[in-house]
Amino acid sequence: MKYFIRKLSSLILTLLLVSIFLFISFQVIPGDSAAASLGTSATKETVEALREELGLNRNVFVRYFSWLGNALCGDFGISAQYNMPVSLLLKERMPVTLWLAVLSIALIIIISIPLGIQSAKKEGGVSDRVITFLTHTAMAVPPFFLGIIITLVFGLILKWFIPGRYISYSENPGQFLGYMIFPAIAIAIPKTAMTIKFLRSSVIRQLKLDYVRTARSKGNQENVILYRHVLKNAFIPVITFIAMVIADVLAGSIIIEQLFSLPGMGRMLVTAISNRDFSVVQAIVIYIAAVVVVINFLVDIIYRCIDPRVRV
Amino acid sequence: MNTEKIHYNINFIAGLIIISLVLFFVTAGIFYTPYDPNEMNGAIKNMTPDFAHPFGTDNFGRDILSRVMSGAGTTFIVALSTVAIGAVMGTLIGAVTGYYGGFIDEILMRVNDGLTSFPSILLALVFVSIIGPGKYNVILALGIIFIPSFARVVRSEYITLKQMDFVKNAKLMGAGDFRIMFVHILPNTKLILLSSVTIGFNNAVLAEAGMSYLQLGVQPPDASLGRMLSEAQAYLFNAPWCALAPGLMIVLTVLGFSLLNER
């Protein structure tokens, strides 16, 4: 329980620090959202009036705390570019990004676990060599190049999907999944390769330990040793690794959403950055930061439950 | 044991060959490109690869080979500068915090943990949204983002090495802290630094390409591999070679360095 409280307080502290850092750094830049939303033709008086209205004239600390208070209630201000509440914009786009992340992670787990185990089981064998070579190559391919290849092969040549024509879930769930699976594959392949490599070395490390020799000398079959004893231990570091992968998948979707024209949060972030729409940028970064921090927190807790030796 | 050694050698040699080719290609591109990479020629739009243009031409009639050569040069310069900033600053911070420990170490490591848990492209985007896009801003943003990973590696090395006998010896002989840190301990970290530098270089190449793909990195008229990919995407069906050449260049670079690093 003490451990839980300590981790929880460090989670809240990290998030507060991130929000303070973000808020202050967006204060440093010349030109605020008042000037940005009125454009270059605005007179000094109208900008001043809007600044007054938006409360930009107040002290930084006052503004930070009012922003934080509103953010905690789910209000992230008004987007200068869409003239809409940021929270509403986020609500529209979040499901797309979440679906993409869930599909990618499902793919990563489904592919990497059997391949990683197979590779470690026959270390140095033909299948291991082939898998190792493939993982090396796959890790070197940036997701956006993979996305372009997938668009070319499956979209333009085989015509399995129409590039750029996103179909929302409410329109047609089947076609939605049929479209989303391609960006998910583009995100998943490099990360799958990394997970395979990580799982392989984790299993191999376990196979060399004394308890495996003991289990063998007791007459257990290799498969029993592997599936009943080794995997339990080998998966522990893999869980941390997959938590890192989740953060990377969220970040990777920034580029992939652009490539497949998915109306998700990543795409909104990129357009918000180009249009200097800072309330949107702030909200999305805070959101991703929160997801990353919460996942790390959950992993710490899970870790503690499955491996009582952890006493950090 | 024996097979492992051969395996390692094959990886290493393959990596070496790939990297030599890539480096030759990039260095050659600094001094000579077959055509001007930015010269447009409406008469030869979207030409398939042939003798005059081995990688074809793009939608503006620009020679893809020349553009890949100069674009890879830009990407390499950005990646090298990024790694240089990260490695130098990271080594300094890692050395000081690892050697002295204490309160500053505790604070800096918490900041480090916080930073490294976030995906680097997200941090880079935040930086770029603050300081604006462009080649030098990307170098600055990525450089700062790469500091923590180097600092962490160097710090843990210093923590182990500072308890070694040769450090005690040097102290007895009256060497100052600064001399011990950088003359005695630093050379012992070179192997681990080397592998961090290659990993860092790969990450920097991927990050730069990603930023330029989003059009928030290197700006025209500079060619950049990521930018070429994003421009090629619009003409993917008519001229797929425009995307394949820069993409394969990135893949070969990253693959080469990661094979070199394999042990």
Side-chain angles (χ1 to χ4, degrees), chain A residues 25 29 129 140 247 251 259 289 292, chain B residues 7 117-119 130 213 233 237 255:
Chain A
S25 33
I29 12 174
R129 293 282 183 86
L259 205 155
V292 171
Chain B
H7 195 60
S117 65
F118 292 109
I130 295 167
Y213 176 82
Q233 208 191 330
F237 191 62
L255 179 64

Side-chain angles (χ1 to χ4, degrees), chain B residues 3 8 30 44 46 71 74 84 101 115 120 130 137 145 166 172 194 219 232 234:
Chain B
T3 54
Y8 155 81
I30 298 173
I44 48 166
N46 288 342
T74 317
L115 278 176
S120 56
I130 295 167
N137 288 349
I145 290 160
F166 73 89
L172 281 177
L194 196 69
Q219 300 293 318

Side-chain angles (χ1 to χ4, degrees), chain B residues 171-193:
Chain B
K171 258 186 199 155
L172 281 177
M173 289 165 82
D177 283 349
F178 196 75
R179 192 178 165 82
I180 292 177
M181 270 194 274
F182 295 106
V183 179
H184 295 277
I185 300 185
L186 189 62
N188 290 293
T189 62
K190 64 171 184 261
L191 262 183
I192 197 130
L193 259 181

Side-chain angles (χ1 to χ4, degrees), chain A residues 92-227:
Chain A
E92 256 170 48
R93 282 157 178 80
M94 209 180 286
V96 180
T97 306
L98 282 184
W99 265 105
L100 188 58
V102 168
L103 277 177
S104 324
I105 289 159
L107 281 173
I108 292 172
I109 291 173
I110 292 169
I111 303 171
S112 65
I113 288 178
L115 287 183
I117 293 173
Q118 176 62 27
S119 190
K121 212 156 92 180
K122 304 255 166 66
E123 191 196 347
V126 180
S127 60
D128 181 32
R129 293 282 183 86
V130 173
I131 292 172
T132 308
F133 174 76
L134 286 179
T135 52
H136 259 295
T137 321
M139 272 192 289
V141 187
F144 49 95
F145 183 46
L146 255 178
I148 288 180
I149 295 176
I150 288 173
T151 312
L152 179 66
V153 174
F154 296 105
L156 298 173
I157 297 174
L158 295 175
K159 297 200 191 308
W160 287 1
F161 74 106
I162 305 164
R165 185 165 305 163
Y166 163 79
I167 297 142
S168 71
Y169 184 80
S170 51
E171 252 175 84
N172 186 334
Q175 284 182 348
F176 168 78
L177 283 179
Y179 189 81
M180 289 295 267
I181 195 76
F182 294 101
I185 291 173
I187 295 180
I189 287 180
K191 299 292 162 207
T192 308
M194 283 178 202
T195 317
I196 290 175
K197 199 178 168 209
F198 195 84
L199 179 61
R200 172 182 180 272
S201 60
S202 179
V203 173
I204 287 175
R205 213 179 311 128
Q206 290 291 331
L207 280 173
K208 296 207 166 92
L209 292 181
D210 284 344
Y211 75 87
V212 176
R213 197 171 18 164
T214 313
R216 276 199 192 118
S217 64
K218 282 164 80 180
N220 281 316
Q221 280 180 328
E222 279 298 311
N223 273 342
V224 176
I225 298 173
L226 188 69
Y227 291 107

Side-chain angles (χ1 to χ4, degrees), chain B residues 35-110:
Chain B
Y35 298 85
D36 178 352
N38 291 320
E39 189 192 82
M40 302 187 186
N41 184 347
I44 48 166
K45 271 186 182 177
N46 288 342
M47 295 247 294
T48 41
D50 60 16
F51 267 120
H53 300 279
F55 291 174
T57 61
D58 70 5
N59 191 52
F60 299 101
R62 294 176 295 194
D63 179 47
I64 301 278
L65 175 63
S66 309
R67 279 183 75 69
V68 169
M69 286 171 94
S70 90
T74 317
T75 302
F76 271 51
I77 288 169
V78 172
L80 273 180
S81 325
T82 300
V83 170
I85 295 175
V88 171
M89 294 301 295
T91 307
L92 274 175
I93 294 174
V96 171
T97 53
Y99 189 77
Y100 291 112
F103 185 61
I104 299 174
D105 176 44
E106 190 63 29
I107 291 179
L108 277 174
M109 281 307 118
R110 286 288 82 75

Side-chain angles (χ1 to χ4, degrees), chain A residues 18 25-26 29 123 129 136-137 140 142 144-145 148 152 156 197 247 251 254-255 258-259 273 278 285 288-289 292 296, chain B residues 7 117-119 121-122 125-126 129-130 206 209-210 213 229 233 236-237 240 243 247-248 250-251 254-255 258 262:
Chain A
V18 170
S25 33
F26 282 115
I29 12 174
E123 191 196 347
R129 293 282 183 86
H136 259 295
T137 321
F144 49 95
F145 183 46
I148 288 180
L152 179 66
L156 298 173
K197 199 178 168 209
I254 297 173
I255 296 179
Q258 190 79 4
L259 205 155
I273 289 174
F278 296 127
V285 174
I288 298 183
V292 171
N296 282 335
Chain B
H7 195 60
S117 65
F118 292 109
I121 186 107
L122 182 70
L125 284 177
V126 172
S129 67
I130 295 167
L206 290 175
Y213 176 82
L229 277 175
Q233 208 191 330
L236 198 56
F237 191 62
L248 285 177
I250 298 174
V251 173
V254 176
L255 179 64
S258 77
E262 190 67 15

